[in-house]
Each structure stands twice: as structure tokens, then as C-alpha cells.
Amino acid sequence: MLSSRELANAVRALSMDAIQKAKSGHPGAPMGMADIAEVLWRHFLKHDPKRPQWCNRDRFVLSNGHGSMLLYSLLHLTGYDVSIDDIKNFRQLHSKTPGHPEYGYAPGVETTTGPLGQGITNAVGMALAEKVLAANFNRPDFPVVDHYTYVFVGDGCLMEGVSHEACSLAGTLKLGKLIAFWDDNGISIDGKTSGWFSEDTAARFAAYGWQVLKVDGHDAIAVAHAVEEAQADTEHPTLICCKTVIGYGAPKQGTSGVHGSPLGEEGIAAARKTLGWEYPPFEIPQEYYEEWNAVESGEKEYAIWSEMFEGYRSKYPELAAEYSRRMKGELPADWAEKSAAFVEQLQSNPAKLATRKASQNALDAYGALLPEFLGGSADLAPSNLTIHKNSKSITADDASGNYVHYGVREFGMSAIMNGVMLHGGFRPYGATFLMFMEYAKNAVRMAALMKLPVIFVYTHDSIGLGEDGPTHQPVEQTSSLRITPNMSVWRPCDQVESAIAWKAAVERKDGPTSLIFSRQGLAQMDRTPQQLADVYRGGYILRDCEGKPELILIATGSEVELAVSAAEVLAGEGRKVRVVSMPNTFEFDRQDEAYRSSVLPPDVTARVAVEAGITDFWYKYVGLNGKVVGIDRFGESAPAEVLFKEFGFTVENVVSAAKSVL
């Protein structure tokens, strides 16, 4: 029987060898946290290496993702499909073992981490999802949703502001099955953290409403007792402060010199001697594999749960079917028919509405069809209009609802939604003003990087916000979202495009969607059935002329009505003008060339784009000789109608721009 320390040394050896072979990486965290990992993964973590997507597995997040070799070593040793060749291929092109853990590359990697603080925030989302699902689906004697979320965090994660946002909310919501292990080694890249990280972290988390425990991170028995104590407290999330030595066993242990650089051949030889590890690089004796292997125990855990779920299915067939559907990410059987009928109903009943209100109306309709909706807003629900008729607030003592009051935490909200999506069982959406997307941009980017179908709702989309002034008036944000890879961005012009935008966002499976809505009322456009179908293509001919157009006006959102009015003036002067509504450039660009050319004929070069945002983005559609009626400066504080006139969003100015390109 090998000791805990000997088994932990297998993790240390694999980590330092892989990093050395790659000539790149961070050995400090894997070597410092190996003892903690050995306790958690061998004695507490409920998982099945052969079924890495089993819905009732415990979730494990490595928030300090620079220590990725810790996770890859654990996956390899416990029996996941991560081979020794994969370990040798650390940080190489197209390997399963990239420099930071990346979702979708290796089984067992629950989320992409690297930007510090977002892993712990994703973990909060996972724990939230577990609590809400359990409240809705569990029944006496059938705890079909019953697992923990474990997360390793470093000093850097706790310094990042997003960890404050997320951990504060976790305490408020009493996410008692969230257990975090703080790698308290007092070292970051610049050296000893005491010079810039001197707060009482334990007191901070206690103030959030967490249970706080302190242990020697190299004492396996103490760590095990702490985990047991954490599991026993179901009312509070737990932070286990683990005092560790960074790079444990290496010559430069306890210093920043071991944080982010390979140990070197001499350093590794010295570490092997200190650790008593006598085996060549990448060689793990069979007895180590036997004690680490979790395949058999995982199969037993899965079998126990499966037997229970069959009993649950027998007694509660409708609940079991609904749970299975949601965990598979499938839409309800009646979704397509009923959502399409709602869109057609809107087209037949015109109304002038702010698209934020049109969004709420869509939520009223779709929320009744989608119990998997998990909505929320960053303290702006009365303005974002994200609470629908079927919304029920989630509280610490009643998690059976479907709406999260995130508070003023835009970044935290967005990264929590990513965690909820990764957990499964929900389609999360969360809202703020478009301007404050800037606070959340890194989490939005991570959703796009991981191709998560999260829905980001942004209202108050332009200088139309008016008197609140330039601090609240977005100018460059819509274009910033559009140029983010994998991000689908809708800026609808009326209630019909708004409903279609929501429908498309719900149906999308390969990435996130940003829905951008106005504060001001927008007139509804007339459409034929074909035009209605073409809205889904992202760009379509809204108004056309007889024969070939000599001018094309392209617009989005609140500026579509302006473009239509300008087209009417030009048509009255004998000009042949086409108006293209372009609510989603991402979807339009994905259409085949024939369709795109039918909307924007290459030989019609006289083009003007109209949007209350920066102009640069639009030259890809109007060409270098086209014109863009936009705004390349920050706004002002004044009534919306005054600002639109001041910055040239008038029929007269659009007509003038059109004539200049004819």
C-alpha cells in the first residue's frame, strides 16, 4: 500500500516532466497542490472516467488554470482517455493537453480556465445549477441531482475582482455544496504576495457567509477532515485555506522562481532525489496506476445512481423524462411550432414598441414553453425587462425558481451563466445595459471561446439612451461584440425581429448570442412571408424598387425606420433604392454567396450603412467608396431626439450621404 505522499509524488513527477519536455509551463501549483489533489480525487470525488459526461458527477474546476498539468496528471492517473503520449504532448499544437485547460479537448475538463477568477466564478454557476435542479427534480428517496462542485483557486483568482462578485453571491444564495481549496502559498509571479495581497482572506469569505477552514495543505489527514467538515455544512459554501509550499520538492520551492518556468534538468534531478522518486521521466509503476485508478469505483457510483434513476423514472415518469430532455440540451417537442406561431402572430398585429419591451413580450411567450430558462439581470430588471410572466425569483431558502437577481455584478453574472451552461439542464440568459457589457467582456469572450449557447441581453443600445450621457451611451460596443469570433449578435428593428432574435438564440447550439435592444419605441415594418423567413438569415431586402437598384441603404435596429424614410424621399426623386435590414451580420455572413449577392449585388456599389455606432465595421458591406452614417465619438447628455439630430441621424443627412455616393 503506497502512502498518500508517494501517490501525490506521481502527480509531481508527471507535471515536472511534461513541463520540462515542453520547455514551457507552470510547475509550482501542480507540485504544491498535489497532496490536496490526491485526497480529493482518491477519496471524495464522485466521477466515472468512462462516462465523463455523467450528469450526477461531482464537478471539479481548476481555477488557477496555469497549473493545468495538475489536472492532466489526475485525468491520466485515474483512467480518463488522456494517455501518457497526451501528457508528453503537453502544450503542443492540437494536443488534448493545451497550456491552460480548455473545454472540449480532453474528457474531464469541465471548463476553460486561465483568465484568473473566472474558474471559481464558473464553479459558482455549476453549484447554482445543481441547487436549482435539485429543488425542482429531487423527490423523497430520489436525490437524482446530488453532487458537489469542487474548485482549486490560487492567490491570483482571489485578487481578481470577479471572484468577489461571484463568491459574495454564492454566500448569499447558500450554495452549500460548493467547496473551494485555496492554494495559500504566498507567492505569485512577482514574488511574495504580502506586498500586494495583505487582506484577511479568511475573514473576507466569512463575511460573505462562507464556512472557512484552515489546514496544512501537505497533511493528507487534515485535508480529508476538512473536506468532511465542508460536506457536513449544507447551508454555507466552504473555503478550505490550504497552507502550501509552491513547487514542493523542487530546489526553488517556496519562491516565485518555480511558479512559471520549467525546473531544468538539474532541478528535476534534485527534485527526484528530494521526493524519493526513482523512476525515469514519464514512467509510472503499475502499482501507482492501480491505486489511482477510478474506473471501477466510478462504474459502481454510476450503477448506484442509474438504479435509483430507474426507480425515479417508474414513480415519476414525467419528471424523469423532463430531466433527461433538459440534460441532453433538447428543446421541447412543441417549441418549433409554437414559437413560429408567436412570430407570425406578431407580424399580423403591428405595434410600435421599444425592442426591450418586445423582448419582454417574447420572454412571456417563450418562457411558458421553456422551463429550462434561467434568467437574470445585473440589478436592472425594471429597465432590461427580463422578468417574464413565468419568472420566479431564486432565494437562499427556495431555489425552485428560474430567475437570479445577480445584483450589480455584470462580470460575475456572465461568468456564472457560463458555469450554469457548462453544468447542463438550463438555457441561461442575463441582462445589463449594453454599455456595461464592458465590465463583463472577458466572460463573454470565454463563452464564445467555449462555444457555449449562453444568451446575453443588452438594452439601452445607443445615444438614444439620452440624458444619462456618454458614460451610459454605447458607441463601440456592438461592433466589439460582432468582431468576437463565434458571437452571434442581433440588433432588431421591431417586435418581429426581436421575437425572431430570441427564437434563433434559443435554437443555437454552437455558440453564444448577444441580443441588443432599444429604449425608444420603434415602428413595425411590413413584411411578406418570404421576408419573414429571410429575417433568420441575418440580412434581407426589406424595401425594394422596380428593376435593379442604383443605391442600397443598409441599417439595423432603430435606424431601419430612418433608412426606410430616407428611401421614400429618394424614391420620390426618381431614385431606385433598396433598403436592407441587417439585424445579424454573423448570420448573414454564414449564408451562401448566392443569397448574399442577391441581397447586396456586387455591381451595385453605391451603398450607405446607417447605425448609431462606430462606422469602421460597416465598410466591409459598403466598400471603401461607400458611406456610413454613424458616430465615431462619445455622446452627450440631452434628450434622445436632440442627440439623434445633433449627430446626423436624420432623414436629411441620410439622403445627403446617399446622393454623395450616387
Side-chain angles (χ1 to χ4, degrees):
M1 179 75 70
L2 296 164
S3 68
S4 293
R5 176 59 50 76
E6 287 173 312
L7 291 165
N9 285 345
V11 173
R12 292 185 171 101
L14 281 176
S15 298
M16 65 184 183
D17 288 343
I19 291 166
Q20 183 62 32
K21 184 176 185 296
K23 297 181 173 60
S24 173
H26 299 73
M31 298 181 75
M33 298 194 79
D35 294 312
I36 307 165
E38 184 273 332
V39 172
L40 177 64
W41 279 67
R42 290 192 62 247
H43 301 289
F44 293 97
L45 193 71
K46 180 174 64 178
H47 63 123
D48 183 352
K50 298 305 178 187
R51 297 175 182 85
Q53 294 302 311
W54 171 35
C55 56
N56 201 46
R57 69 192 182 279
D58 289 337
R59 272 52 170 188
F60 174 79
V61 175
L62 184 69
S63 190
N64 44 343
H66 53 272
S68 57
M69 264 313 305
L70 173 65
L71 178 54
Y72 301 144
S73 298
L74 294 167
L75 294 172
H76 170 71
L77 290 167
T78 54
Y80 285 80
D81 184 19
V82 178
S83 69
I84 196 67
D85 286 334
D86 292 324
I87 298 294
K88 292 177 180 178
N89 210 24
F90 177 58
R91 288 193 162 217
Q92 305 310 301
L93 185 63
H94 303 314
S95 76
K96 284 184 180 179
T97 52
H100 290 79
E102 290 190 42
Y103 179 69
Y105 281 70
V109 175
E110 299 282 4
T111 181
T112 300
T113 55
L116 295 177
Q118 289 205 57
I120 175 65
T121 309
N122 293 165
V124 170
M126 294 173 188
L128 173 64
E130 192 275 344
K131 182 169 183 172
V132 177
L133 279 174
N136 281 281
F137 286 99
N138 286 356
R139 293 296 182 269
D141 299 323
F142 293 100
V144 294
V145 183
D146 182 19
H147 54 264
Y148 290 93
T149 300
Y150 299 103
V151 54
F152 282 6
V153 298
D155 294 318
C157 295
L158 300 185
M159 284 187 247
E160 287 286 1
V162 70
S163 73
H164 297 253
E165 296 182 26
C167 294
S168 169
L169 186 61
T172 299
L173 294 178
K174 297 183 179 179
L175 302 182
K177 297 176 86 170
L178 172 63
I179 300 174
F181 299 79
W182 171 30
D183 184 21
D184 180 14
N185 59 38
I187 296 292
S188 66
I189 294 175
D190 280 0
K192 293 183 178 180
T193 59
S194 56
W196 48 87
F197 186 48
S198 59
E199 68 210 41
D200 187 337
T201 300
R204 167 188 154 196
F205 274 78
Y208 290 155
W210 288 52
Q211 174 181 223
V212 179
L213 308 173
K214 297 182 179 181
V215 298
D216 177 350
H218 300 298
D219 183 336
I221 293 174
V223 172
H225 288 161
V227 177
E228 291 168 351
E229 193 172 346
Q231 291 180 339
D233 186 344
T234 59
E235 286 289 300
H236 307 93
T238 298
L239 177 70
I240 304 177
C241 306
C242 302
K243 204 68 182 175
T244 61
V245 177
I246 189 171
Y248 185 93
K252 295 181 180 179
Q253 69 173 31
T255 73
S256 59
V258 77
H259 171 89
S261 301
L263 301 184
E265 297 295 346
E266 291 184 6
I268 285 181
R272 274 182 155 74
K273 185 174 181 180
T274 299
L275 297 171
W277 189 261
E278 300 174 351
Y279 311 102
F282 301 106
E283 183 176 311
I284 306 294
Q286 186 59 33
E287 60 180 324
Y288 283 81
Y289 280 119
E290 289 172 0
E291 295 213 32
W292 268 107
N293 195 289
V295 171
E296 184 178 344
S297 61
E299 287 179 345
K300 287 180 180 177
E301 291 280 7
Y302 177 76
I304 292 169
W305 180 85
S306 295
E307 183 179 355
M308 177 185 62
F309 192 78
E310 286 308 308
Y312 179 75
R313 192 196 308 275
S314 177
K315 191 168 184 179
Y316 305 103
E318 291 183 1
L319 276 176
E322 177 67 5
Y323 177 73
S324 296
R325 176 189 74 79
R326 286 173 56 174
M327 293 308 293
K328 290 176 184 175
E330 298 173 350
L331 288 170
D334 60 353
W335 163 258
E337 178 186 353
K338 290 184 176 179
S339 59
F342 173 69
V343 171
E344 291 170 4
Q345 175 200 346
L346 291 179
Q347 186 61 55
S348 302
N349 295 276
K352 182 173 183 176
L353 295 173
T355 51
R356 63 171 174 163
K357 179 58 181 174
S359 166
Q360 186 178 46
N361 292 344
L363 280 170
D364 285 341
Y366 298 156
L369 304 175
L370 298 169
E372 57 263 52
F373 258 167
L374 188 68
S377 179
D379 201 50
L380 287 168
S383 295
N384 296 145
L385 303 183
T386 44
I387 295 177
H388 58 82
K389 290 178 180 177
N390 292 282
S391 292
K392 176 186 175 183
S393 296
I394 292 167
T395 66
D397 300 318
D398 182 3
S400 64
N402 60 4
Y403 193 88
V404 183
H405 296 275
Y406 286 101
V408 187
R409 301 182 178 98
E410 298 89 352
F411 193 179
M413 173 183 72
S414 303
I416 287 170
M417 287 196 295
N418 289 347
V420 168
M421 191 72 238
L422 287 160
H423 179 279
F426 295 100
R427 285 304 304 273
Y429 69 85
T432 186
F433 287 0
L434 177 56
M435 184 65 244
F436 304 133
M437 174 278 295
E438 295 292 351
Y439 282 129
K441 185 62 166 68
N442 204 283
V444 174
R445 182 179 187 271
M446 295 303 288
L449 183 66
M450 289 187 274
K451 300 182 180 178
L452 302 178
V454 174
I455 302 172
F456 300 104
V457 181
Y458 300 119
T459 66
H460 299 65
D461 66 343
S462 71
I463 56 171
L465 185 55
E467 292 87 343
D468 278 340
T471 61
H472 284 52
Q473 294 167 5
V475 174
E476 73 275 27
Q477 283 65 40
T478 301
S479 288
S480 174
L481 287 165
R482 286 183 181 132
I483 63 175
T484 302
N486 301 331
M487 177 61 70
S488 177
V489 181
W490 288 90
R491 187 171 183 251
C493 75
D494 63 9
Q495 67 167 351
V496 174
E497 285 189 359
S498 297
I500 288 174
W502 265 110
K503 187 174 187 296
V506 168
E507 293 171 356
R508 189 176 185 211
K509 293 185 176 182
D510 60 350
T513 301
S514 292
L515 304 176
I516 298 178
F517 299 119
S518 73
R519 181 193 189 191
Q520 65 272 30
L522 306 181
Q524 181 164 320
M525 299 291 122
D526 295 329
R527 294 178 184 85
T528 65
Q530 184 58 55
Q531 287 174 315
L532 192 64
D534 286 343
V535 175
Y536 293 92
R537 294 175 175 259
Y540 63 102
I541 302 168
L542 180 64
R543 296 286 183 271
D544 213 357
C545 56
E546 296 240 349
K548 181 180 176 181
E550 58 181 323
L551 170 73
I552 299 175
L553 299 178
I554 307 168
T556 78
S558 52
E559 288 70 66
V560 169
E561 186 178 352
L562 176 60
V564 169
S565 297
E568 290 171 353
V569 171
L570 290 162
E573 297 177 359
R575 296 294 191 177
K576 293 185 175 183
V577 184
R578 171 178 291 180
V579 177
V580 171
S581 177
M582 187 83 79
N584 189 317
T585 59
F586 177 84
E587 288 299 334
F588 182 74
D589 290 347
R590 293 211 290 188
Q591 303 305 308
D592 59 49
E593 185 179 353
Y595 178 77
R596 286 184 278 115
S597 294
S598 72
V599 175
L600 299 175
D603 58 347
V604 181
T605 59
R607 302 180 184 184
V608 176
V610 190
E611 184 176 66
I614 62 170
T615 61
D616 283 2
F617 177 83
W618 287 102
Y619 287 102
K620 65 185 285 189
Y621 299 106
V622 302
L624 294 179
N625 294 320
K627 286 289 180 72
V628 181
V629 177
I631 177 170
D632 288 317
R633 52 153 291 182
F634 297 121
E636 297 284 351
S637 177
E641 62 274 14
V642 174
L643 292 175
F644 279 121
K645 184 176 181 180
E646 171 71 14
F647 292 114
F649 295 98
T650 63
V651 172
E652 294 77 15
N653 193 43
V654 175
V655 169
S656 175
K659 289 180 177 179
S660 74
V661 300
L662 281 168

